[in-house]
Amino acid sequence: MQTELRIQDYPIASHTAPRKPSAAGGWHVPRRLQRVLSLADFEDAARRHLPAPIFAYISGGCETDRALRGSEDAFADHDWVTRVFNDTSRRNLTTTLFGEQWAAPVGIAPMGISALSAYRGDLIQTQAAAAAGIPAIMSGSSLIRMEDVAAANPRAWFQAYVPGEPARIAALVDRVKAAGFKTLVVTADVAVSGNRENNIRARFSTPLRPGPRLAWDGITHPRWLLGTMLKTLLRHGMPHFENSHAQRGAPIIARNVMREFGARNHLSWAHIAEMRQRWGGRFIIKGILSPEDAVLARDMGADGIIVSNHGGRQLDGAIAPLRALPEIVAAVGPDYAVMMDGGVRRGGDVLMAMALGAKFVFVGRPFNYAGAVGGQAGITHAIGILATEMVRNMSLLGVLNPADLGPRHLRRRARP
């Protein structure tokens, strides 16, 4: 009888285990990843591996980065209250969402231009997610055709940026449906682009502008240049923005071409209602921070929402998703599918979000770093790190499943 392949059995190194983790539960840790013990380790490695402009694009927020820092800092608002002498030997991360069973209540958030930081970035993300049994959301700002990702992982979700133009909305919805996606995620918090001064300072633009500085960035990062950029150009040609609209968009490197975003500040709830009706499948709205908008989303037919401040990349000072979460859950009720992303860097962060009412939690930047440094194996390793941290912390908290957590397991810290 074959043993079930569970991501929670991933063999992360431990001070109580042999120095070189062996295969366990069917998982194997490549030698080059055995010293990567946390998601922060991936960020440090990616900082060295990637050209500075590309790392700045992934890591940065907007203006003062207050919203970016706040999303991570919010997890320090609460302390855990543990329960002891509970038999937790049968703890399990398996979670049901929208009637589907997933191996853990964590998924890969949509991240634009992932194929610029990692070879075939969107594909390796979705393949790693499929193998681990967790959801992955493909970004509408990706450089690989949505049809290729849907073919590689039929359970993947697609995230769309849409302008307030009904004809263009309809064309994009029809393409996503024809590609085979069953879940559509519409990002709500992009009426205009955030003020990402860090991108200008780091000389990052989309498309990238060719020139001596771009060439030097590549030459001084040979592993990225050979393993990602040149490998992509030789095998697949110049990457383009493939999925922002129904047609192919701008190339990723161009001297004079500009990306075309459409009239996103025209987008209204009326457009979303029409989009929901045309789509017909599972429909999620991402970028909700207010209880009022959460209720509007629920009442117009969204199957769920993702509480998110866009990774701190849109409005400086936007409330941290974790801080917004309890009021939103109270507004829409405990049975509605409220999910969250933003600032999650540890398995304990996932559990804390669930204790405050989230049904599922998505993680972005760390998976981008993991793919850049270690390819698909790196992303699997990052998923495994989160899963093993969650399983360990569940035992220390005295619960068998993340769904068993609630506000009783937390105490809010008194502000100084």
Side-chain angles (χ1 to χ4, degrees):
M1 181 177 175
Q2 186 175 2
T3 304
E4 180 187 2
L5 188 66
R6 301 189 307 173
I7 192 64
Q8 69 181 59
D9 298 325
Y10 191 83
I12 296 295
S14 167
H15 70 283
T16 61
R19 289 190 65 182
K20 292 185 177 180
S22 58
W27 299 102
H28 172 71
V29 182
R31 181 180 297 274
R32 70 184 186 279
L33 297 175
Q34 288 178 6
R35 296 183 66 84
V36 178
L37 305 181
S38 71
L39 297 187
D41 291 344
F42 273 122
E43 181 172 356
D44 292 340
R47 191 189 306 272
R48 297 187 297 270
H49 173 78
L50 293 170
I54 296 175
F55 182 82
Y57 167 76
I58 300 168
S59 63
C62 66
E63 296 184 357
T64 68
D65 281 346
R66 184 176 142 208
L68 173 61
R69 293 191 305 271
S71 294
E72 295 187 35
D73 293 345
F75 291 93
D77 288 355
H78 301 272
D79 293 321
W80 287 113
V81 178
T82 61
R83 299 298 307 273
V84 298
F85 296 132
N86 289 334
D87 181 354
T88 59
S89 59
R90 299 179 64 184
R91 60 198 183 278
N92 195 328
L93 294 179
T94 302
T95 302
T96 300
L97 180 69
F98 301 124
E100 286 190 71
Q101 193 173 86
W102 301 97
V106 64
I108 299 179
M111 292 170 284
I113 62 175
S114 293
L116 186 62
S117 55
Y119 177 68
R120 307 303 277 168
D122 304 285
L123 274 174
I124 62 175
Q125 287 173 15
T126 205
Q127 289 165 343
I134 67 170
I137 309 176
M138 182 187 189
S139 171
S141 291
S142 49
L143 305 176
I144 295 175
R145 295 173 66 250
M146 68 172 76
E147 291 80 3
D148 296 338
V149 170
N153 180 1
R155 298 181 79 192
W157 302 3
F158 182 81
Q159 172 265 333
Y161 295 107
V162 292
E165 302 169 49
R168 296 176 69 173
I169 292 174
L172 179 60
V173 168
D174 291 347
R175 182 185 170 194
V176 176
K177 189 183 300 186
F181 289 95
K182 302 297 187 294
T183 302
L184 177 61
V185 180
V186 178
T187 292
D189 53 1
V190 286
V192 295
S193 295
N195 181 24
R196 301 179 192 173
E197 297 170 359
N198 62 298
N199 288 354
I200 301 172
R201 294 189 179 98
R203 300 189 184 183
F204 179 89
S205 62
T206 54
L208 293 167
R209 308 299 179 196
R213 177 62 183 265
L214 183 61
W216 178 250
D217 285 330
I219 292 169
T220 54
H221 295 81
R223 287 185 57 217
W224 171 83
L225 179 65
L226 296 174
T228 300
M229 196 67 223
L230 291 181
K231 191 175 179 180
T232 298
L233 291 172
L234 289 172
R235 295 187 178 183
H236 308 284
M238 177 63 69
H240 284 62
F241 289 93
E242 297 283 359
N243 309 298
S244 297
H245 305 291
Q247 298 82 30
R248 193 182 206 196
I252 190 59
I253 299 178
R255 188 174 300 278
N256 298 313
V257 174
M258 298 292 291
R259 287 182 67 187
E260 201 283 299
F261 294 101
R264 294 193 311 216
N265 59 345
H266 290 204
L267 194 64
S268 70
W269 284 105
H271 294 110
I272 298 301
E274 293 173 5
M275 191 176 186
R276 201 275 166 269
Q277 184 175 10
R278 188 178 189 92
W279 170 246
R282 190 174 299 134
F283 191 77
I284 312 295
I285 297 179
K286 177 180 181 294
I288 299 292
L289 288 175
S290 79
E292 295 84 358
D293 283 343
V295 171
L296 284 171
R298 181 198 63 188
D299 292 349
M300 60 73 60
D303 297 290
I305 59 171
I306 300 177
V307 179
S308 172
N309 67 9
H310 212 105
R313 297 161 75 86
Q314 281 296 99
L315 176 63
D316 198 33
I319 186 173
L322 190 78
R323 294 184 176 123
L325 184 63
E327 286 189 39
I328 288 175
V329 171
V332 297
D335 297 329
Y336 189 64
V338 177
M339 298 160 277
M340 194 203 86
D341 73 19
V344 175
R345 298 295 181 267
R346 287 282 184 176
D349 297 343
V350 177
L351 298 180
M352 187 171 288
M354 298 195 72
L356 291 173
K359 294 288 192 292
F360 225 85
V361 178
F362 289 88
V363 181
R365 288 179 176 93
F367 289 129
N368 200 316
Y369 299 140
V373 172
Q376 184 174 331
I379 298 168
T380 297
H381 192 66
I383 298 169
I385 287 172
L386 280 176
T388 54
E389 288 176 346
M390 292 171 67
V391 169
R392 181 187 301 112
N393 288 358
M394 283 162 52
S395 188
L396 295 172
L397 286 164
V399 298
L400 293 176
N401 190 273
D404 298 334
L405 291 164
R408 67 189 182 281
H409 292 99
L410 296 172
R411 290 292 182 274
R412 189 171 180 86
R413 284 189 175 186
R415 294 188 180 275

